[in-house]
């Protein structure tokens, strides 16, 4: 009895003394907390490193004041993708000021989007130093608002080799607001409206706010890296059909962009119980990594 008692006490003390060692390790990957500088402030995040990585990604946030996306990052790491995810500027352990409607500020102003793009690129630069295999491709994966941020970042950073966007807009920031005001958060919107009606309003409704619009096509038109967009056709935040129209125009110009839409899903394509979008993204990244490896080996 005494032996069992002292053994249990020892184990209990060990768990208290070494929480990081016990809880930050996985049979599939390790987790390491990191800090890095961007535009004069310190951002805090975590790096997830699988035993054998075939690709690496930095996760770019949506518009909400969110901390590092650990659940999503773990799902990617379990598939062999190294991940850096960080607390958004002004959130969690990251410095700076969060900008967004919840605090009464404009988070899709071009100045703020550029600032967030700088943060993403600082994360890429830091991440590269932690990767043992310097040859594996590194890309950006993001949600919603990241549809504007990722093209900005990638257009300034040749280290970025691919991008995956979950419900990322390809229309301007003002066009997205027009559509969002039109749907007004009504989950039954598509039961009473047509795609043509939605596109008409998105293109022609008067703007409620007056600020310079950011057009992601300005940056997408300069890129030659592959990109994948994953849309939910029930989306009431962005007009999916119009976004696809824009992508088809870019594809016709020779851009290596692809998209897949899921008829039953809405805006939250990355966090839905339906794992099809994430599974599709992982398979796509695997294929792009394989193509990159073949291309390098043939040179």
């Amino acid at each position: 009895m005494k032996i069992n008692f002292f053994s249990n006490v020892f184990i209990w003390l060990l768990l208290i003394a070494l929480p990081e060692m016990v809880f930050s390790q996985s049979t599939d990957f390790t987790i390491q907390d990191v800090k890095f500088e961007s535009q004069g402030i310190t951002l805090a995040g975590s790096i997830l490193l699988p035993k054998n990585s075939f690709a690496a990604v930095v996760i770019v946030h949506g518009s909400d004041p969110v901390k590092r996306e650990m659940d999503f990052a773990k799902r990617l790491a379990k598939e062999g993708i190294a991940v850096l995810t960080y607390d958004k500027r002004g959130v969690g352990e990251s410095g700076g000021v969060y900008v967004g409607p919840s605090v009464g500020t404009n988070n899709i102003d071009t100045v703020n989007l550029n600032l967030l793009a700088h943060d993403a690129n600082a994360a890429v630069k830091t991440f590269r130093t932690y990767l043992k295999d310097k040859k594996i491709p590194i890309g950006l994966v993001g949600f919603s608002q990241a549809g504007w941020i990722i093209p900005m970042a990638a257009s300034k950073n040749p280290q970025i080799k691919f991008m995956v966007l979950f419900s990322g807009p390809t229309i301007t920031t003002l066009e997205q607001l027009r559509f969002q005001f039109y749907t007004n958060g009504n989950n039954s919107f598509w039961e009473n409206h047509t795609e043509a009606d939605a596109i008409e309003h998105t293109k022609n409704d008067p703007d409620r706010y007056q600020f310079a619009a950011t057009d992601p096509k300005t940056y997408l038109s300069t890129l030659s890296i592959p990109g994948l967009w994953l849309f939910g056709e029930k989306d009431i935040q962005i007009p999916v059909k119009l976004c696809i129209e824009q992508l088809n125009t870019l594809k016709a110009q020779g851009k290596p962009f692809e998209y897949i839409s899921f008829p039953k899903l809405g805006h939250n394509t990355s966090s839905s119980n339906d794992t099809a979008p994430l599974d599709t993204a992982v398979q796509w990244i695997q294929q792009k990594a394989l193509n990159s490896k073949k291309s390098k080996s043939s040179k």
Side-chain angles (χ1 to χ4, degrees):
M1 290 292 291
K2 290 183 179 179
I3 294 175
N4 288 339
F5 171 77
F6 286 112
S7 296
N8 289 337
V9 170
F10 175 76
I11 293 171
W12 179 71
L13 290 173
L14 184 64
L15 289 172
I16 292 176
L18 301 173
E20 275 194 39
M21 181 182 295
V22 174
F23 295 113
S24 68
Q25 302 301 313
S26 163
T27 56
D28 303 306
F29 55 86
T30 59
I31 302 175
Q32 180 176 357
D33 290 342
V34 296
K35 291 187 177 180
F36 56 97
E37 301 298 311
S38 175
Q39 301 296 295
I41 60 102
T42 301
L43 299 173
S46 298
I47 290 176
L48 291 74
L49 290 175
K51 291 180 180 179
N52 297 296
S53 306
F54 61 84
V57 301
V58 168
I59 297 178
V60 181
H61 312 89
S63 61
D64 293 332
V66 291
K67 297 179 182 180
R68 62 201 79 176
E69 303 272 0
M70 289 302 293
D71 288 343
F72 187 81
K74 288 176 182 178
R75 292 166 72 186
L76 293 174
K78 287 178 181 178
E79 299 293 338
I81 299 173
V83 184
L84 190 160
T85 179
Y86 55 97
D87 297 340
K88 192 169 186 174
R89 172 179 288 262
V91 181
E93 296 178 31
S94 286
V97 177
Y98 167 74
V99 175
S102 62
V103 292
T105 46
N106 180 359
N107 63 351
I108 55 174
D109 177 82
T110 300
V111 172
N112 187 58
L113 293 176
N114 267 299
L115 186 59
L116 297 176
H118 278 295
D119 291 349
N121 278 333
V124 170
K125 181 179 179 181
T126 298
F127 196 14
R128 178 61 76 185
T129 65
Y130 283 85
L131 297 173
K132 292 181 180 179
D133 183 357
K134 305 302 182 184
K135 295 182 180 179
I136 67 170
I138 186 168
L140 298 179
V141 173
F143 324 106
S144 191
Q145 187 187 83
W148 297 305
I149 298 168
I150 286 178
M152 280 184 175
S155 68
K156 302 170 185 174
N157 191 345
Q159 286 189 316
I160 297 169
K161 301 302 182 184
F162 63 88
M163 53 189 176
V164 177
L165 302 104
F166 289 84
S167 302
T170 60
I171 56 175
T172 73
T173 48
L174 287 176
E175 287 172 327
Q176 186 273 328
L177 281 179
R178 293 173 202 162
F179 178 75
Q180 186 174 331
F181 286 132
Y182 184 44
T183 62
N184 197 32
N186 179 9
N187 289 322
S188 302
F189 176 84
W190 290 114
E191 296 175 13
N192 307 300
H193 298 82
T194 66
E195 292 286 355
D197 188 29
I199 290 174
E200 175 70 17
H201 275 75
T202 301
K203 288 184 175 180
N204 300 306
D205 261 15
D207 293 316
R208 299 191 187 186
Y209 300 106
Q210 301 302 317
F211 60 89
T214 295
D215 189 346
K217 296 184 292 299
T218 301
Y219 306 96
L220 292 171
S221 64
T222 69
L223 296 175
S224 58
I225 61 173
L228 173 67
W229 281 255
L230 300 152
F231 296 112
E233 292 182 17
K234 303 296 184 183
D235 201 325
I236 57 172
Q237 299 296 316
I238 63 171
V240 168
K241 295 298 182 183
L242 182 56
C243 288
I244 287 175
E245 276 187 21
Q246 309 280 27
L247 283 174
N248 281 334
T249 298
L250 290 164
K251 283 166 62 69
Q253 297 168 3
K255 297 299 178 183
F257 300 158
E258 302 171 61
Y259 59 83
I260 297 176
S261 59
F262 299 88
K264 296 181 180 180
L265 298 183
H267 193 64
N268 294 326
T269 46
S270 63
S271 57
S272 166
N273 291 329
D274 187 338
T275 63
L278 179 62
D279 295 340
T280 300
V282 170
Q283 292 167 10
W284 185 87
I285 293 172
Q286 286 176 331
Q287 185 59 51
K288 297 308 169 186
L290 180 62
N291 291 345
S292 176
K293 187 176 181 179
K294 287 180 179 178
S295 175
K296 289 178 182 178
S297 63
S298 65
K299 292 180 180 179

